[in-house]
Amino acid sequence: MLRNLRLLTVVSRPEFLPANSASLIIGLAWGFDRSMHAGGGLVIPFTLAFAVITLVSAFAAQVNTTFDFELDLIDSRKKELVQAMSRLGRKRLKSAMIAEFLLSLAFILILFLIQEKPLLFVMWMIAVFLAYSYSAPPLRLKSRSWFALLTLLLVLSMLPISFVFHTFASGIEIPFLVFLCGHALTVYGVIIPAEIRDYFGDKMTNTETLTVRLGLVKASLLSIVLLGTGGILCGTAFLARILYGLQHVLLFSLPVMVVVYIYVLAKYSSLYRLSWEYALSGGQISIAQDIMELSAYCPRWITLITQSIVLMSLVLLTTKLFL
C-alpha cells in the first residue's frame, strides 16, 4: 500500500505543488475581504479551494503521464517518472484518477453550497475538461500549437487564480484583471524556455508545440515579449493598489519583483542570441547543446519569478489583514 502511494506521488508530479500553493496565495491576496470572519468564513473555503486545485492538478499530471509514456521513455530526465508509471500500472492509476475526480467533485459541491457561487462549479468543470483534453486523444490540445498556448494560459494561471479569487471576492476590480492578464503572459513567458529545451526532441518525434512551429528564434523572442509585457502589467496592477492609497507598503517590495524580471529577461536575451547563432550555423550541434544547457535552468527562472509574485501577494494579503 505504502509502495503504491509513493509511486502515485511520483506520477502525480509533486513538483507542481508549489505552483498550486502560489495560485492559492495570489487569488486569496486579491480576493480577500476584511469583512469576512476568520473562522468558517475563511479557513473552510480556503482549505476546500486548495484541495480542489491540488486534486485537479494531480489528475492532469496523471493523464499527461499516461498518454506521454512512450515519449517519456526516450527522455533520460524522466527516468524516475517512467519507472514509477511502469511499477504502478495503468489499472491502479486509472482507479486513483477516478477517486481523485470524485473527491474533487465532492469538495467543489461543498464549496458551492457554502459560498453559493455557481461560477465556481463552472470553472471546476472547465478545468477538469482541459486537464484531460490537454494530453488525451482525440483532442490532445498540447500538440495543437496555439490551442496548447490557450490551454496552458487557462489552467496554469487564469483558472486557478480566478477560482480562488471568486471564492472570496464579492466583485471584480480592474487592478486584479490587469494583474491576471500580466500573470498569464508571464506564465507562458517562462514556459517557452522549457519548450525550447525540448525543441530538438519534439521535432524528432513530430510533436508540434508552439516552439516547434515558430522555430527557436521566434519562440525565444516571443518569450522575451511575453515576460516583459507580463511584468509590466503585474507591476502596474500592484502600483494601482499603491496609488489608490490602499497598500503603500507594496512600494518597498515592488523593486524585488522588478530586479527578478530584469535578471530573467537577461537570461532570455542570451537564449535568443544562441538561437540566432544556431540558425545562422545551419544547425551546429555544439550550439544546440549550449541552448539545451541554458534552457535547462528554466525551473530556476520559474521559481524566481513565482517567488517574486508570491512575495508581492503576501505583502498585499498582510496589509489587508493587519493594516
Side-chain angles (χ1 to χ4, degrees), residues 171-191:
I172 296 291
E173 55 182 29
I174 299 301
F176 170 71
L177 294 178
V178 173
F179 170 82
L180 189 62
C181 292
H183 187 269
L185 294 178
T186 293
V187 164
Y188 203 76
V190 296
I191 285 175

Side-chain angles (χ1 to χ4, degrees), residues 30-33 117 165-166 168-174 176-177:
W30 284 95
F32 176 77
D33 189 335
K117 295 179 177 180
F165 174 84
H166 187 61
F168 300 102
S170 56
I172 296 291
E173 55 182 29
I174 299 301
F176 170 71
L177 294 178

Side-chain angles (χ1 to χ4, degrees), residues 196 200 216-217 220 267-281 284 286-295:
I196 289 176
F200 303 100
L216 286 175
V217 174
S220 56
K267 298 298 182 182
Y268 282 20
S269 297
S270 298
L271 199 57
Y272 177 65
R273 175 181 54 78
L274 284 172
S275 298
W276 261 115
E277 291 178 5
Y278 177 78
L280 294 174
S281 70
Q284 190 172 325
S286 61
I287 300 178
Q289 291 174 337
D290 290 340
I291 291 173
M292 288 188 287
E293 288 176 4
L294 180 58
S295 57

Side-chain angles (χ1 to χ4, degrees), residues 33-283:
D33 189 335
R34 191 191 288 258
S35 64
M36 290 187 304
H37 299 291
L42 177 61
V43 176
I44 294 176
F46 182 86
T47 304
L48 288 171
F50 181 69
V52 170
I53 290 175
T54 301
L55 286 168
V56 173
S57 175
F59 176 81
Q62 291 159 7
V63 173
N64 182 265
T65 302
T66 300
F67 291 98
D68 277 12
F69 182 73
E70 286 74 19
L71 288 175
D72 292 342
L73 282 172
I74 60 176
D75 191 339
S76 60
R77 295 164 299 181
K78 296 181 179 179
K79 183 178 179 180
E80 183 183 6
L81 181 64
V82 170
Q83 289 176 345
M85 179 65 185
S86 300
R87 292 170 182 171
L88 183 63
R90 290 186 178 238
K91 187 176 180 179
R92 290 194 189 95
L93 182 57
K94 185 177 179 180
S95 298
M97 291 166 63
I98 293 173
E100 290 163 357
F101 171 80
L102 294 175
L103 197 56
S104 68
L105 175 59
F107 286 151
I108 191 63
L109 288 175
I110 295 172
L111 186 59
F112 166 68
L113 291 174
I114 292 174
Q115 302 299 90
E116 297 181 345
K117 295 179 177 180
L119 186 57
L120 292 174
F121 189 75
V122 173
M123 285 193 281
W124 173 82
M125 289 192 296
I126 295 173
V128 171
F129 170 76
L130 293 176
Y132 184 82
S133 301
Y134 181 71
S135 302
L139 293 180
R140 194 166 168 77
L141 297 173
K142 69 180 300 180
S143 62
R144 298 177 184 268
S145 58
W146 291 106
F147 283 105
L149 167 60
L150 179 61
T151 302
L152 288 173
L153 291 180
L154 286 172
V155 301
L156 297 179
S157 176
M158 290 187 166
L159 274 176
I161 292 177
S162 298
F163 178 82
V164 179
F165 174 84
H166 187 61
T167 298
F168 300 102
S170 56
I172 296 291
E173 55 182 29
I174 299 301
F176 170 71
L177 294 178
V178 173
F179 170 82
L180 189 62
C181 292
H183 187 269
L185 294 178
T186 293
V187 164
Y188 203 76
V190 296
I191 285 175
I192 289 179
E195 289 190 354
I196 289 176
R197 180 190 59 194
D198 298 334
Y199 169 82
F200 303 100
D202 288 339
K203 198 170 183 180
M204 288 177 60
T205 57
N206 295 318
T207 301
E208 191 183 358
T209 63
L210 182 62
T211 299
V212 171
R213 185 168 183 174
L214 292 177
L216 286 175
V217 174
K218 290 182 179 178
S220 56
L221 178 59
L222 179 61
S223 67
I224 294 173
V225 173
L226 290 177
L227 186 63
T229 305
I232 291 172
L233 290 176
C234 287
T236 300
F238 284 118
L239 274 175
R241 304 293 305 188
I242 298 170
L243 294 176
Y244 290 165
L246 298 176
Q247 281 84 28
H248 289 97
V249 71
L250 286 171
L251 189 61
F252 298 100
S253 52
L254 186 59
V256 176
M257 191 179 80
V258 173
V259 169
V260 168
Y261 269 82
I262 291 175
Y263 171 78
V264 176
L265 282 170
K267 298 298 182 182
Y268 282 20
S269 297
S270 298
L271 199 57
Y272 177 65
R273 175 181 54 78
L274 284 172
S275 298
W276 261 115
E277 291 178 5
Y278 177 78
L280 294 174
S281 70

